[in-house]
């Protein structure tokens, strides 16, 4: 409705339609960017770019222009200063800044059990990382009290030093628990310096600069990725601890610029899985961890259109692949080179219900797939032969609640952790006993009272799913979250993405509460190009069909208006 309540469309008051300068009476002129004609050449083409000079961030004129932009912005938004401060205070008040992650239980190859966790501290920019001796997986430490025997492993605040920026990359304890592999980027270019820390002395012994990722290869070796000029991880190197990095040995080289490399160790600590992946094909190789000098062998040669992901599962491989179903299926494969013809389906694919991932354990297999566009978790028991039984659906509290399984460290485990959240329910970590089905809540994200002392009440908000009709007749899902007492037409913020098969899954947000509490409705349009409704949903919004992403968004907004949201 307009401000007079006379129509079905919201119309801003006329005074908000004035130009910015007239609206705010700015004394600082709006900056203009001088044009400097530069001829550029790329891929055999030539064109003039009048703003190419802005690339040089050391140019005093570029810096002066940025300063002028900031000064102009500060002046024309000066009237919003009180609101900005109020919003900041609301988010800060509701956020528990001094906190602790749910400790992860891990057992090293020496038989020592540990709790590993991170702490955040009010007033500090970065977490600290710790471990403490663990009596057993049932004896979770009190997260509101000091932990007996706690050891500080890494303090990112101290490691930042005089640098303006730091981001943690890898963080992984060695299999024997005596060393820590960690990496950090202090520039912002997403290339990381790897260090290996002796946990008895907390001294870093090895240093490998400019890596794109690293992981352990047994106790005495690690592997690390090198990136090419396009920041594509293309070479995997083996490093022996205590040796000169110049002597590192090449394990894998990927010359095809469509593919990028990745590496990780399997849960059973038997294999290094080396992955070469493009947008439309995969090739994975396995290297035995007990023989780090061996040559990795190819599971299945790359084939255009075939994407797969292997999970070592004892005497066999479990393979998530799209050879016969676009939304993937789960198959068993021999622990040897094979092709899809050798793979036996154990969890069939379902169109529109994308299989997202699997975690194999000695006695269980945990599968995540989309149901009605939302990730859900299923558990399959394995019999004495290792074969999969029927699926057990892990119940979700509501239709817009995401349920995903954490990656348990132990191969022979009797429990996994579940993470659940929705637009109105804060993230909650529970422990599911796979043998009994018992569930134990470990932690629910704390939402502190607002500056006036009002506690967060999930019942004061509502989350719903509605469907818009696209011009071609497709039904496009829209998730809507609002205060429960907001009825009728209201201001609405609509968010969409729709690319790279990325999905807008339901998730809780403390900062979103400040919008909702002011009567704003927030809607998430799950347009094509994303992956909410399977691979076909993605394909219908890419390449020559990319305009569908935008017409879907228009249809979603028109639907919200037409239905009075």
């Amino acid at each position: 409705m307009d401000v007079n309540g006379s129509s079905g469309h919201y119309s801003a008051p006329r005074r908000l339609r004035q130009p910015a300068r007239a609206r705010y009476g700015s004394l600082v002129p709006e900056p203009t960017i001088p044009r400097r004609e530069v001829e550029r050449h790329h891929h055999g083409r030539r064109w003039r770019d009048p703003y190419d000079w802005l690339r040089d961030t050391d140019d005093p004129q570029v810096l002066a222009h940025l300063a002028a932009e900031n000064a102009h912005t500060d002046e024309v938004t000066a009237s919003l200063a009180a609101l900005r401060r109020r919003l900041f205070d609301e988010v800060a008040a509701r956020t528990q800044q001094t906190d602790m992650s749910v400790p992860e239980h891990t057992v090293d190859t020496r038989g020592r059990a540990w709790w590993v966790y991170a702490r955040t501290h009010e007033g500090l920019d970065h977490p600290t990382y710790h471990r403490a001796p663990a009596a057993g997986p049932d004896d979770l430490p009190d997260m509101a009290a000091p932990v007996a025997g706690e050891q500080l492993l890494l303090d990112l605040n101290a490691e930042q030093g005089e640098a303006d920026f730091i981001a943690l990359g890898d963080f992984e304890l060695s299999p024997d628990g005596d060393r820590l592999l960690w990496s950090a980027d202090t520039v912002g270019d997403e290339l990381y310096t790897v260090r290996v820390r002796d946990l008895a002395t907390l001294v870093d012994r090895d240093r490998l600069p400019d890596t794109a990722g690293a992981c352990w290869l047994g106790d005495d070796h690690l592997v690390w990725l090198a990136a090419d000029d396009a920041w594509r991880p293309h070479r995997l190197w083996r490093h022996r601890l205590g040796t000169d990095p110049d002597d590192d040995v090449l394990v894998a080289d990927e010359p095809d610029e469509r593919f990028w490399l990745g590496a990780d160790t399997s849960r059973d600590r038997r294999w290094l899985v080396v992955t070469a992946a493009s947008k439309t094909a995969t090739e994975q190789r396995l290297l035995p961890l007990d023989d780090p000098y061996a040559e990795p062998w190819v599971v299945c040669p790359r084939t255009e259109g075939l994407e797969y992901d292997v999970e070592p599962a004892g005497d066999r491989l479990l393979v998530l692949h799209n050879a016969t179903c676009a939304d993937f299926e789960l198959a068993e494969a021999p622990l040897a080179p094979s092709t899809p013809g050798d793979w036996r389906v154990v969890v069939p694919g379902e169109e529109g219900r994308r299989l997202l991932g699997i975690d194999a354990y000695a006695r269980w297999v945990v599968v995540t797939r989309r149901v009605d566009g939302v990730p859900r978790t299923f558990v399959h028991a394995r019999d004495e032969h290792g074969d999969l039984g029927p699926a057990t659906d892990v119940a979700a509290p509501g239709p817009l609640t995401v349920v995903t399984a954490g990656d348990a460290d132990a191969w022979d485990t009797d429990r996994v952790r579940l993470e659940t959240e929705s637009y109105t329910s804060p993230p909650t970590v529970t422990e599911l006993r796979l043998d009994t089905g018992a569930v134990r809540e470990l932690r629910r994200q704390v939402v502190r009272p607002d500056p006036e002392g009002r506690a967060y009440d999930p019942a004061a908000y509502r989350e719903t799913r509605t469907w818009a009709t696209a011009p071609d007749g497709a039904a496009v899902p829209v998730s809507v979250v609002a205060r429960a007492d907001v009825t009728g037409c209201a201001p609405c913020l609509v968010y969409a993405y729709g690319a790279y098969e990325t999905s807008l899954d339901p998730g809780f947000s403390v900062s979103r509460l400040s919008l909702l509490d002011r009567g704003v409705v927030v809607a998430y349009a799950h347009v094509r190009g994303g992956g909410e409704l399977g691979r076909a949903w993605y394909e219908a919004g890419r390449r020559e069909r990319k305009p569908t992403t935008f017409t879907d968004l228009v249809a979603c907004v028109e639907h919200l208006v037409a239905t009075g949201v």
Side-chain angles (χ1 to χ4, degrees), residues 390-419:
T392 299
D393 186 356
V394 177
L400 294 182
T401 300
V402 173
V403 181
T404 55
D407 187 4
D409 179 69
W411 161 248
D412 192 5
T413 187
D414 60 2
R415 67 197 70 198
V416 294
R417 287 184 178 175
L418 301 175
E419 299 175 6

Side-chain angles (χ1 to χ4, degrees), residues 267-286:
R267 182 177 291 102
D268 60 5
R269 295 176 176 171
R270 291 181 57 195
W271 304 97
L272 177 74
V273 183
V274 182
T275 304
S278 72
K279 292 291 185 183
T280 55
T282 312
E283 182 177 87
Q284 291 187 305
R285 286 172 262 185
L286 297 182

Side-chain angles (χ1 to χ4, degrees), residues 43-64:
H43 289 316
R45 301 181 63 187
R46 177 170 43 186
W47 69 94
R48 293 186 177 276
D49 183 352
Y51 303 113
D52 183 80
W53 66 278
L54 292 170
R55 293 176 182 274
D56 185 0
T57 54
D58 293 324
D59 184 338
Q61 294 189 27
V62 173
L63 297 176

Side-chain angles (χ1 to χ4, degrees), residues 56-281:
D56 185 0
T57 54
D58 293 324
D59 184 338
Q61 294 189 27
V62 173
L63 297 176
H65 174 76
L66 292 174
E69 290 274 12
N70 288 337
H72 178 74
T73 301
D74 289 343
E75 178 155 345
V76 300
T77 63
S79 63
L80 302 175
L83 176 60
R84 283 198 299 270
R85 170 50 59 181
R86 171 67 190 186
L87 293 173
F88 178 87
D89 289 344
E90 288 178 6
V91 174
R94 284 170 162 149
T95 301
Q96 183 162 304
Q97 298 182 50
T98 298
D99 206 355
M100 174 180 172
S101 67
V102 181
E104 297 281 350
H105 186 265
T106 182
V107 180
D108 62 36
T109 54
R110 299 184 188 277
R112 298 173 298 181
W114 305 96
W115 293 114
V116 182
Y117 48 93
R119 292 187 182 275
T120 56
H121 310 268
E122 186 168 359
L124 295 181
D125 292 331
H126 306 290
T128 56
Y129 298 84
H130 310 257
R131 75 174 177 181
D138 292 323
D139 301 319
L140 192 72
D142 182 353
M143 287 176 275
V147 180
E150 178 174 284
Q151 178 187 17
L152 174 64
L153 303 179
L154 180 67
D155 181 352
L156 274 190
N157 302 283
E159 299 297 340
Q160 181 173 355
E162 298 301 316
D164 294 329
F165 167 87
I166 190 169
L168 183 66
D170 303 293
F171 181 92
E172 185 181 2
L173 291 167
S174 61
D176 63 10
D178 288 344
R179 288 172 290 272
L180 171 69
L181 183 159
W182 70 280
S183 65
D185 168 19
T186 56
V187 178
D189 59 4
E190 298 184 2
L191 292 178
Y192 298 81
T193 296
V194 169
R195 294 176 175 86
V196 177
R197 177 162 295 183
D198 184 332
L199 295 182
T201 63
L202 296 182
V203 173
D204 293 331
R205 302 294 186 184
D206 291 68
R207 182 179 183 276
L208 304 169
D210 297 331
T211 75
C215 69
W216 285 105
L217 183 64
D219 290 316
D220 300 320
H221 297 81
L222 60 86
V223 290
W224 61 276
L225 289 161
D228 62 13
D229 293 339
W231 262 241
R232 175 184 67 97
H234 72 130
R235 286 179 180 152
L236 183 69
W237 296 87
R238 183 181 68 241
H239 173 75
R240 183 178 177 85
L241 299 188
T243 65
D244 189 332
D246 289 342
D247 297 330
D248 289 355
V249 176
L250 187 65
V251 175
D253 184 15
E254 182 50 65
D256 190 333
E257 294 182 357
R258 298 173 301 170
F259 287 77
W260 58 95
L261 287 180
D264 200 4
T265 51
S266 62
R267 182 177 291 102
D268 60 5
R269 295 176 176 171
R270 291 181 57 195
W271 304 97
L272 177 74
V273 183
V274 182
T275 304
S278 72
K279 292 291 185 183
T280 55

